[in-house]
Amino acid sequence: MPGALAADAFFDDIPIVLTASRMAQSPVDAPVAVTIIDREMINASGFTEIHDLMRLVPGFLVADWAEGSPTVANHGLGDAYDRRIKVMIDGRTVNSPLWGNTNWQDLPLRVDDLERVEVVRGPNGAAYGVNAFQAVINLITRSPSTESGARVISRLGKDGFYDHGFRANGSAESPIDWRLSGSHRRADNFRNYLDDGGDVNPRETIARSVLNFSATAQLSTRDELGLMLGLSDGTSDRGIPGDLEEPLREDDARSNFLHLSWRRSFAVDSELTVQYYHQDERMRASWLNTRYPPLVIPLDMNSDVRRDDLEVQYSATLSPAWRFMVGAGVRREAARAQSMFNTRGTLSGTSSQLFGSVVWSPVERLKLDLGGTLENHHYSGSLFSPRFALNYALTPESALRLSGGVSYRTPSLVESYAEQVVRIGSQIKQLFLRAGDDVQPERVKHIEIGYAAIFREIGVGLDVRAFHKRYTDYIDDQRCFYPRQPWERPLPSGERLCPPAPSGYAPFEYDLRERRGPRSFLIQNAGSFTMTGGEFSVDWHRSGWGRVVLSQAVIDIDAGRDILDPDFETSAPTSITSLLLVKELPDRWRASLGYYRHAVMNWLNDGDRVPEQDRFDLKLARSFGAPGSGSEVAIVAQSLGGRYVDFHEGRYRHEPRLFASLNLSW
């Protein structure tokens, strides 16, 4: 999905989305529910981190935690690794091959690089194959052809927070449109928190440098070449002061990507695109556990992962009644993480897919959309994700939608092959996460009915939907125990017995003295459940007054008897609300208020209960310079209520933030 095409579609008079079916279309005609976070909303929110923008999307939850990347969930099911949401930059997947999650703080671009964000608020395997399971997020960057000049951005706030950046663009006369942007930032996300038991919990301070380059060359009236390069490098200070098991440490993270594209236009609605994408990530995180002297236990979370992806897509309009898209792709993923896989080697796999869709209008008001992706996955084999959608236009800019389909999520490399060990010499002293035998892909059958409309005369956009989803073969980890001695039987309490340990397993003496003995966490298919709910969003805009964007979601999870996690049904709060209020004031001032609320809920696995929560953000800004230049000064206060519970009620309190910003362009 070339950046220039994205920008051209965005600036049309009629709103256009590109992510729903891989073809440009109005949100009213899309076969699935789509939310657009445009540039005005991005600026008004005051958010400096990309993952925070998801708070503006109906049904989405955002959490940070002091021991890893922030996490995003849609309709619950969230834990430390948001591997059920596909995240893309200009149409290319950026989820990490290791866990399947998105390392949000390490993305090689910043909020200031985004033109808009398109979010498909439900499964979309028919368009993007496996892992487009709960939602699809497409981060669409600013096209170099739409900008000129230079810009500096500086944010400076309390507790050592800063975020400084620049953006420079080529001249309009240049045969190549290009943009170079960079930034460096530091933030204290968590300070050490003393819980009710007097225990100190982890902190987190991040520092990141990001560099991003984008260029497009119009070779002819038909052909366009695109290039994007990105790099993120930095550290995270984590750990607990004075703690022997989780001492203070500095984790190093680096990620980069290369995106090449060629687009040939044959007609107004007919084009061929060829894209190659490469990403790699490196994490260096290791420390010594000295809790059990005289033992010194080395812990190693170092990893190197990469993905290479080649894709070809062709779309065309055959007649006013027929439109189609077809494509193919091949993807190779690889990871090396010695302690996670109990090997010094590299694990890798190659997957391929065929995808396509056809839209037919048998009568003027009716559109039928049939789509699907057939994928041969390196671990799970052949999988087919179909979709059927029917849109009936009530007016030229309002329609009813009925859609349904099947989507899959294949196990990540960790879920497929994990054998996480702690070694001392040649002996395996501890076994943590282990992959079970023959883990099957998760599957969801989904159906929804919706209504989308744009009322231009009153400046209102409306999106309403109800959905029902049936999930099977949900993947989770469950605790299991090893006998304390080889001749002992497992305890009669119903605890699960672990599979046989690998050769060289010699547990620590203190583990053998524990009442229940050494333990592991076994990854396996853990059951089925249903999810039912509804959402609405209203976007009202009036020139000279401002804008109001309100969304609400209600969700209910009904877990089957085979789901053993007691917190599973409450992983989705019963209600989620977001409100962005933007008010134009005299003399080029503007105030914006963000309100984000969710009912009591539980983050799963590494997370825990989070009480009912209300968060208020405020931004006061004044623009200056030439109209439309984007120059402004502002004050932003995030979480006006102070520190708040994030991810785990007993462990983490996220820090509020107060900063001033200057955005200067020329």
Side-chain angles (χ1 to χ4, degrees):
M1 187 178 301
L5 174 62
D8 292 344
F10 177 71
F11 287 112
D12 284 347
D13 290 335
I14 299 175
I16 294 295
V17 295
L18 304 170
T19 310
S21 64
R22 293 177 176 259
M23 295 188 292
Q25 57 196 158
S26 164
V28 173
D29 295 330
V32 289
V34 184
T35 291
I36 302 174
I37 304 174
D38 58 37
R39 187 65 221 168
E40 182 182 50
M41 294 173 65
I42 293 172
N43 182 55
S45 72
F47 291 136
T48 62
E49 296 291 341
I50 292 175
H51 60 273
D52 278 324
L53 293 171
M54 299 308 112
R55 300 179 190 273
L56 298 166
V57 183
F60 272 65
L61 298 160
V62 178
D64 202 348
W65 63 307
E67 297 173 85
S69 175
T71 186
V72 174
N74 179 34
H75 300 156
L77 312 185
D79 57 19
Y81 303 98
D82 53 0
R83 55 200 182 276
R84 293 179 175 88
I85 296 176
K86 181 180 283 288
V87 179
M88 305 185 295
I89 298 176
D90 292 317
R92 307 312 313 143
T93 301
V94 296
N95 298 70
S96 173
L98 187 65
W99 285 94
N101 67 314
T102 301
N103 294 311
W104 291 98
Q105 289 173 335
D106 300 319
L107 292 178
L109 77 165
R110 299 289 292 131
V111 165
D112 304 296
D113 296 319
L114 297 178
E115 183 58 59
R116 73 187 191 278
V117 182
E118 293 181 2
V119 183
V120 176
R121 306 194 312 271
N124 202 17
Y128 296 100
V130 295
N131 302 342
F133 192 67
Q134 280 286 91
V136 178
I137 299 171
N138 193 10
L139 307 171
I140 298 176
T141 60
R142 294 182 168 190
S143 170
S145 63
T146 65
E147 294 187 289
S148 61
R151 182 184 303 267
V152 292
I153 306 103
S154 183
R155 304 177 179 101
L156 192 64
K158 291 183 58 179
D159 303 319
F161 168 80
Y162 62 80
D163 185 359
H164 306 308
F166 72 91
R167 191 160 67 250
N169 299 272
S171 66
E173 294 77 22
S174 172
I176 297 178
D177 295 310
W178 61 267
R179 182 194 71 242
L180 177 67
S181 64
S183 72
H184 181 66
R185 70 190 193 276
R186 179 195 181 278
D188 283 332
N189 295 325
F190 295 90
R191 295 179 182 175
N192 296 124
Y193 168 67
L194 193 67
D195 63 24
D196 292 339
D199 294 325
V200 180
N201 288 284
R203 71 173 192 181
E204 180 190 60
T205 299
I206 67 163
R208 294 289 190 276
S209 297
V210 174
L211 194 65
N212 192 280
F213 177 77
S214 178
T216 58
Q218 198 71 39
L219 303 182
S220 69
T221 56
R222 291 187 173 186
D223 296 290
E224 180 186 87
L225 285 180
L227 166 68
M228 287 188 67
L229 298 168
L231 169 68
S232 173
D233 185 80
T235 61
S236 299
D237 292 334
R238 295 186 169 119
I240 303 171
D243 191 271
L244 301 178
E245 190 169 7
E246 294 185 63
L248 296 178
R249 66 185 191 276
E250 185 177 84
D251 297 346
D252 295 309
R254 173 179 291 180
S255 65
N256 58 66
F257 78 88
L258 164 68
H259 185 179
L260 297 171
S261 65
W262 169 58
R263 176 167 65 105
R264 160 157 281 204
S265 299
F266 298 99
V268 175
D269 292 319
S270 176
E271 69 175 31
L272 172 71
T273 61
V274 180
Q275 301 186 85
Y276 167 73
Y277 185 85
H278 166 85
Q279 77 177 77
D280 59 60
E281 303 169 355
R282 187 193 71 177
M283 173 62 72
R284 295 295 179 263
S286 58
W287 62 96
L288 298 176
N289 180 347
T290 57
R291 182 178 178 181
Y292 305 98
L295 292 174
V296 176
I297 306 170
L299 296 176
D300 177 3
M301 296 300 291
N302 294 344
S303 64
D304 295 272
V305 300
R306 65 176 291 166
R307 173 187 287 114
D308 292 278
D309 193 331
L310 178 65
E311 183 181 280
V312 180
Q313 177 180 314
Y314 176 71
S315 61
T317 299
L318 301 178
S319 71
W322 289 92
R323 189 181 183 196
F324 79 95
M325 176 276 299
V326 65
V330 61
R331 178 182 69 254
R332 180 172 176 80
E333 299 175 332
R336 181 171 59 191
Q338 180 179 350
S339 64
M340 181 59 68
F341 299 118
N342 192 20
T343 176
R344 293 180 181 270
T346 299
L347 297 176
S348 63
T350 300
S351 304
S352 57
Q353 63 177 208
L354 296 171
F355 53 87
S357 66
V358 59
V359 180
W360 175 43
S361 299
V363 296
E364 183 180 359
R365 290 178 177 267
L366 183 65
K367 285 186 174 64
L368 300 178
D369 186 313
L370 298 175
T373 293
L374 176 63
E375 182 149 353
N376 183 25
H377 188 265
H378 63 82
Y379 181 84
S380 298
S382 296
L383 298 168
F384 178 59
S385 303
R387 179 193 65 234
F388 167 82
L390 183 153
N391 286 59
Y392 183 77
L394 303 176
T395 69
E397 292 187 347
S398 67
L400 292 172
R401 178 185 64 252
L402 175 66
S403 66
V406 179
S407 296
Y408 293 88
R409 187 185 77 84
T410 56
S412 66
L413 289 174
V414 166
E415 291 169 320
S416 304
Y417 304 110
E419 192 170 86
Q420 188 181 13
V421 300
V422 171
R423 283 183 174 272
I424 296 183
S426 62
Q427 291 185 328
I428 297 175
K429 306 303 292 184
Q430 286 184 323
L431 269 167
F432 294 116
L433 204 58
R434 299 187 65 186
D437 295 331
D438 193 27
V439 180
Q440 297 298 306
E442 298 179 344
R443 183 177 71 170
V444 56
K445 295 181 178 179
H446 47 96
I447 187 169
E448 69 172 60
I449 183 170
Y451 170 72
I454 301 172
F455 302 103
R456 294 186 180 277
E457 62 278 5
I458 58 174
V460 171
L462 178 64
D463 186 335
V464 182
R465 76 171 183 137
F467 57 85
H468 178 79
K469 297 181 277 190
R470 171 70 178 174
Y471 295 80
T472 54
D473 291 320
Y474 174 75
I475 299 173
D476 200 2
D477 59 83
Q478 295 183 6
R479 185 174 55 186
C480 65
F481 291 91
Y482 298 92
R484 286 172 292 172
Q485 299 294 340
W487 59 86
E488 287 188 274
R489 304 292 298 170
L491 297 176
S493 61
E495 299 286 5
R496 182 184 180 91
L497 183 64
C498 292
S503 60
Y505 181 50
F508 288 120
E509 288 297 323
Y510 65 79
D511 275 337
L512 293 173
R513 291 195 297 268
E514 290 283 332
R515 182 177 66 86
R516 289 181 291 185
R519 64 180 181 176
S520 288
F521 292 88
L522 187 65
I523 298 170
Q524 59 186 9
N525 296 109
S528 59
F529 60 96
T530 61
M531 183 184 295
T532 306
E535 301 168 342
F536 78 83
S537 63
V538 180
D539 185 348
W540 176 73
H541 184 275
R542 182 178 176 183
S543 180
W545 190 96
R547 186 173 181 181
V548 179
V549 184
L550 171 68
S551 73
Q552 177 74 37
V554 292
I555 308 114
D556 178 70
I557 297 178
D558 185 10
R561 294 182 179 180
D562 44 1
I563 297 288
L564 301 181
D565 191 335
D567 297 331
F568 190 83
E569 291 187 340
T570 55
S571 69
T574 55
S575 66
I576 305 171
T577 306
S578 74
L579 170 67
L580 181 63
L581 172 63
V582 184
K583 183 68 179 74
E584 301 288 350
L585 301 172
D587 198 24
R588 303 180 71 177
W589 285 90
R590 170 184 283 192
S592 54
L593 173 71
Y595 170 63
Y596 313 101
R597 179 192 179 277
H598 65 71
V600 62
M601 61 165 293
N602 280 273
W603 290 93
L604 302 175
N605 299 327
D606 291 309
D608 201 74
R609 182 183 185 274
V610 174
E612 179 179 303
Q613 189 174 101
D614 298 271
R615 169 173 161 167
F616 290 90
D617 294 353
L618 181 64
K619 178 179 180 180
L620 182 63
R622 186 184 188 278
S623 60
F624 61 91
S629 67
S631 296
E632 72 167 27
V633 292
I635 296 177
V636 178
Q638 296 178 338
S639 185
L640 290 171
R643 305 175 83 188
Y644 63 92
V645 174
D646 212 358
F647 197 61
H648 190 303
E649 184 176 30
R651 300 200 71 190
Y652 309 118
R653 297 292 185 273
H654 206 290
E655 293 299 313
R657 191 160 293 157
L658 175 65
F659 61 90
S661 69
L662 170 66
N663 198 324
L664 180 63
S665 63
W666 63 92

